[in-house]
Amino acid sequence: MATNRTFTMIKPDAVQDNHIGGILGMIEAAGFRIVELQKVQLTPERAGQFYEVHKERPFYQDLVKYMSSGPIVAAILEKDNAVADFRTLIGATNPANAEEGTIRKKYAKSIEANAVHGSDSDENAQIEGEFYFG
Ligand code: CMP
């Protein structure tokens, strides 16, 4: 399977706060090519489906509500070693633990409103990309 694509979403708080350009700028500056791009608002049903792997987690209901609270930007990104390099670029899920220079260090507000999503494997990158662009 190709290891050169990943999938990302810019989450509702970052879109609301006018950080689409800033975040896409950091992504391009890090050497990723934007292959697909779409601004869209998820229904609670679609948000729930996207995050179905987390449905037993205590934060699931809040996450679904948050992710459907306003528009998001979904994108497929291309670069060598895309999944791992993108996770390095975005930083830790909890922005309190995110390294200096990462997208979440700069833009995330909380563990939930953490500015961006990044796929955690090649397999999930494929599935998540198809969820929007299939
Ligand atoms: P993301 O990388 O998109 O994957 C799952 C999302 O759930 C995560 O980012 C956060 O937005 C949200 N979330 C909320 N609370 C937690 C938590 N305690 N641990 C992990 N993810 C959480």
Side-chain angles (χ1 to χ4, degrees):
M1 177 182 284
T3 59
N4 63 343
R5 283 190 175 194
T6 192
F7 170 81
T8 187
M9 289 183 291
I10 302 176
K11 297 188 179 184
D13 62 298
V15 171
Q16 173 68 30
D17 293 345
N18 286 345
H19 296 318
I20 296 173
I23 290 171
L24 291 180
M26 284 179 77
I27 290 171
E28 289 191 322
F32 292 86
R33 179 164 298 278
I34 297 166
V35 179
E36 301 278 2
L37 188 69
Q38 183 187 122
K39 185 179 180 191
V40 64
Q41 182 153 356
L42 295 170
T43 61
E45 290 69 30
R46 281 238 340 138
Q49 200 185 334
F50 184 89
Y51 279 115
E52 200 153 19
V53 294
H54 294 305
K55 71 171 182 292
E56 305 304 330
R57 308 285 292 273
F59 57 81
Y60 178 72
Q61 293 301 335
D62 278 349
L63 177 62
V64 167
K65 206 178 197 183
Y66 161 63
M67 288 302 296
S68 56
S69 66
I72 60 100
V73 172
I76 293 175
L77 306 174
E78 199 167 71
K79 183 185 178 297
D80 288 347
N81 200 33
V83 168
D85 284 3
F86 192 68
R87 287 178 75 80
T88 302
L89 176 66
I90 66 180
T93 303
N94 186 344
N97 303 325
E99 306 243 1
E100 223 35 77
T102 62
I103 292 175
R104 283 172 172 158
K105 178 74 180 181
K106 186 160 185 189
Y107 293 113
K109 292 175 171 163
S110 67
I111 194 166
E112 177 176 81
N114 62 358
V116 285
H117 167 81
S119 302
D120 63 4
S121 65
D122 287 344
E123 190 193 1
N124 284 335
Q126 173 91 21
I127 292 167
E128 292 171 0
E130 279 176 9
F131 184 89
Y132 286 92
F133 301 106

